[in-house]
Amino acid sequence: NKNSKCFGGSIYLELGVLRTISSWFFNNQACNGGAIALKGDKKVQEDIYVYLTDTNFTNNVAYGSTDKNPTDTTGPDNEYWGAGGAIFVFGSPACVSCVAHLIYTRGYCSFNNATFKANDRKGVGGCMSVASRSNVTVYDVTFETNYALSKGGGVSCDSGLISVPSCRFYNTIFLSNEVISPNDNGKAVGDGGALSQENGNLYMENG
């Protein structure tokens, strides 16, 4: 599947509750959130809740776009920047009641990627990108062989200083994830092969 509106190649959620059980998201594409995108909207004024259980993500792509949306001022640099190869979580910074919540219990996230060919400094969160007013909790999940162009080969958890995300990981495995942005000498210069955290709250236990 491919979403022409650039958010969530398979599922795009602005409000309500989503539950997946024993599901597999494979070969989906979007500018942000190759398979699933949660995006808080100040016009909706409601939190978003997503529960993923025994759910796997494979070969999904967040490919980014140079097209800007003048009606969407909530995204980083007002661009679709290739965030979250499989999952994109973004609570609106302009609304206290627009928090994006995601709980991911048991699953594999592998061979997903976040790229942005027009800009080597973007493409974040090979499997998952968490930004702005968001709360994500992960239990017993393996992030393996995902890659991002800029930072967070497995997961990116960061945002601006106004509103920061919270990311918690329990019994989580990060294996062979990479950041692949080259410099002039052909060497990787990105941040966080497994996990990138900046201006966010991060907690890990038994990982």
Side-chain angles (χ1 to χ4, degrees):
N1 298 299
K2 184 174 181 179
N3 189 334
S4 62
K5 294 184 178 180
C6 273
F7 288 102
S10 181
I11 297 173
Y12 174 48
L13 197 66
E14 285 188 345
L15 76 161
V17 178
L18 170 70
R19 299 179 188 271
T20 71
I21 300 175
S22 300
S23 301
W24 184 31
F25 292 85
F26 176 71
N27 265 4
N28 299 285
Q29 298 181 39
C31 297
N32 293 331
I36 296 177
L38 293 66
K39 188 170 182 291
D41 188 340
K42 63 181 180 181
K43 296 179 182 178
V44 177
Q45 295 283 319
E46 287 188 20
D47 285 8
I48 309 167
Y49 294 88
V50 171
Y51 303 89
L52 309 175
T53 304
D54 297 313
T55 298
N56 300 328
F57 297 85
T58 308
N59 204 39
N60 301 285
V61 179
Y63 55 83
S65 174
T66 56
D67 295 332
K68 295 188 177 183
N69 182 353
T71 65
D72 177 12
T73 59
T74 61
D77 299 330
N78 194 23
E79 283 184 340
Y80 303 116
W81 62 329
I87 305 167
F88 177 67
V89 186
F90 187 91
S92 173
C95 172
V96 175
S97 302
C98 305
V99 180
H101 304 269
L102 183 141
I103 298 176
Y104 188 4
T105 306
R106 296 186 305 276
Y108 287 87
C109 195
S110 57
F111 298 98
N112 305 282
N113 70 83
T115 63
F116 193 177
K117 294 180 180 179
N119 190 333
D120 285 348
R121 298 183 183 279
K122 299 188 178 179
V124 303
C127 171
M128 179 165 59
S129 173
V130 185
S132 194
R133 204 179 296 276
S134 304
N135 291 317
V136 170
T137 305
V138 177
Y139 302 93
D140 302 304
V141 173
T142 297
F143 298 91
E144 182 176 2
T145 320
N146 303 286
Y147 68 88
L149 194 63
S150 175
K151 57 185 176 180
V155 176
S156 171
C157 180
D158 59 36
S159 191
L161 296 175
I162 297 176
S163 56
V164 298
S166 175
C167 299
R168 297 178 176 87
F169 299 91
Y170 301 87
N171 301 321
T172 304
I173 296 172
F174 290 89
L175 180 65
S176 299
N177 302 282
E178 292 185 74
V179 172
I180 59 170
S181 179
N183 63 11
D184 293 338
N185 297 319
K187 297 180 180 180
V189 294
D191 300 318
L195 173 65
S196 172
Q197 183 270 336
E198 182 179 355
N199 298 329
N201 298 313
L202 176 67
Y203 179 80
M204 298 190 74
E205 183 177 313
N206 296 330

